[in-house]
Amino acid sequence: DEFEHDHNKLKLNWQWNHNPVNKLWSFTARPGYLRLKTGNLATNILNARNTLTQRTEGPFCSGSTLIELSNMIVGDYAGLVALQNTYGTVGVKISSNGNKYVIMSVNGGEGDPEEMEQIELSIDRVFFKIEFDFEDSRDVAEFYYSLDGAKWIKIGGDLAMKYTLDHFMGYRIGLFNYATQQIGGFADFEYFHYSRT
């Protein structure tokens, strides 16, 4: 999806993680981009609103995106998620001093997510990718970022995917932006590319 929509209507392969707050997402606010604006505080991806997801498929698949960060504010976290009750995220978080960090974190199904790795970032555009391997029940997701869209750098650890019925069957990949300290910031996603290889 290149997000080249002239109206705020999603393709049928997308699904929100909660009932959406429609005033907080848009294809038309900046044509050619999906804008996700924060409107409530969240402590983690499971209670964040307006996470836009679609199904993953075996034996292999991946999803990638490019995010513009210049309008995110302190405490905002935006990126990609491998979503189930046991989840993994890769994205950018704005720290209390305004610095940007690429962060990969996982949650084992209980409590707060564990930050596996963080890297300070000095630019306002960054690429993210998650690769899923379901072959022979390996069930692992790996997380990457890139500064140029060509050279991918693995970050953090692998997510051992666990299947429960807390949310839905299987794993979904999703685009997210949520606020942990104050509302009103937004992230612009330039595209979402999905591959079954």
Side-chain angles (χ1 to χ4, degrees), residues 61-163:
C61 66
S62 67
S64 62
T65 192
L66 169 60
I67 308 177
E68 292 207 1
L69 321 165
S70 55
N71 292 290
M72 294 172 65
I73 58 179
V74 170
D76 286 1
Y77 185 32
L80 280 176
V81 59
L83 185 59
Q84 236 300 354
N85 193 51
T86 299
Y87 62 84
T89 60
V90 61
V92 168
K93 189 167 188 179
I94 310 300
S95 69
S96 58
N97 61 9
N99 291 345
K100 299 180 287 289
Y101 291 89
V102 175
I103 293 176
M104 186 272 164
S105 62
V106 298
N107 180 281
E110 297 179 9
D112 294 326
E114 177 186 356
E115 190 175 296
M116 305 295 287
E117 186 175 357
Q118 75 169 25
I119 298 166
E120 191 166 4
L121 188 68
S122 60
I123 58 177
D124 284 329
R125 289 165 55 91
V126 64
F127 301 79
F128 295 107
K129 179 171 65 170
I130 303 177
E131 294 184 345
F132 296 85
D133 180 354
F134 300 102
E135 189 170 46
D136 296 328
S137 299
R138 184 165 184 259
D139 297 339
V140 167
E142 299 177 337
F143 300 80
Y144 299 84
Y145 75 98
S146 174
L147 304 180
D148 60 8
K151 179 183 178 183
W152 291 97
I153 303 164
K154 189 173 179 181
I155 182 169
D158 295 347
L159 171 68
M161 292 184 281
K162 299 177 182 176
Y163 300 98

Side-chain angles (χ1 to χ4, degrees), residues 168-182:
F168 33 70
M169 293 177 62
Y171 268 77
R172 301 187 74 89
I173 185 168
L175 308 169
F176 70 87
N177 179 35
Y178 66 86
T180 64
Q181 296 187 34
Q182 53 187 314

